[in-house]
Amino acid sequence: MSIEISKASSHLLEGMKVESTSRGFKMILDEPIEAGGSNTGMNPVEAILCALGSCQCLITKMIASNMGIKIEDLKINLQGELDPTGYQGDTSVRPGYEAIRSTFIIKSNTSEEQIKELITQVEKFCPVGDTVSNGTNLVVDYVVEK
């Protein structure tokens, strides 16, 4: 099977505001006012939580369909724990999330045993969950324009 390539671009605008695009879709990311931003969008670590929750929703729907499970409603609440001193220069503290918790709220007439198996499969096959929990080889390059 061939590898799929996803592409995105982020452009720093004024202050702490960033416009990110992918496949023609745009998203504004920013920091809260107390962090030096103008609070015109979620910040990048909040966006990670949203990406994870969205992926978990979509994978849950796909796997539930494959398992013959009917889901009437699905909501996922996420919470990330981050010590800001890590990205502010304290090398003894991790700069990213130390933990992320997802709580699935599922409305379904399916047995709890089947729901438990569904969640196990979601944890196993969610690409964003895999990226967050197992890490990814991050290659950083740069170009200097003059």
Side-chain angles (χ1 to χ4, degrees):
M1 182 174 267
S2 65
I3 299 292
E4 291 182 14
I5 304 293
S6 298
K7 295 182 180 183
S9 178
S10 294
H11 183 203
L12 180 63
L13 305 175
E14 69 276 354
M16 302 290 277
K17 190 184 302 185
V18 176
E19 180 182 84
S20 294
T21 60
S22 184
R23 293 188 307 113
F25 296 99
K26 292 183 181 183
M27 175 171 62
I28 296 294
L29 297 152
D30 198 358
E31 289 290 335
I33 292 170
E34 60 272 12
S38 57
N39 202 38
T40 58
M42 67 183 81
N43 69 29
V45 291
E46 293 165 335
I48 288 174
L49 294 178
C50 290
L52 176 57
S54 296
C55 192
Q56 289 173 329
C57 280
L58 298 173
I59 294 296
T60 299
K61 182 175 181 170
M62 181 184 78
I63 293 173
S65 177
N66 291 343
M67 293 175 68
I69 296 173
K70 183 176 184 229
I71 294 179
E72 295 175 43
D73 194 29
L74 172 63
K75 181 179 180 180
I76 302 175
N77 294 327
L78 295 103
Q79 179 176 310
E81 297 175 7
L82 184 138
D83 182 342
T85 61
Y87 64 79
Q88 294 169 346
D90 184 344
T91 57
S92 69
V93 176
R94 182 178 177 189
Y97 282 125
E98 295 175 12
I100 296 175
R101 288 175 175 68
S102 296
T103 302
F104 287 63
I105 303 163
I106 301 171
K107 184 175 182 183
S108 176
N109 288 332
T110 303
S111 72
E112 190 170 335
E113 183 177 289
Q114 285 182 299
I115 295 295
K116 186 176 180 178
E117 177 58 26
L118 171 63
I119 300 304
T120 298
Q121 294 300 309
V122 170
E123 288 178 296
K124 184 176 179 179
F125 292 108
C126 176
V128 176
D130 176 72
T131 300
V132 169
S133 63
N134 294 314
T136 297
N137 184 25
L138 179 61
V139 179
V140 178
D141 202 356
Y142 65 91
V143 174
V144 177
E145 294 181 340
K146 297 198 180 203

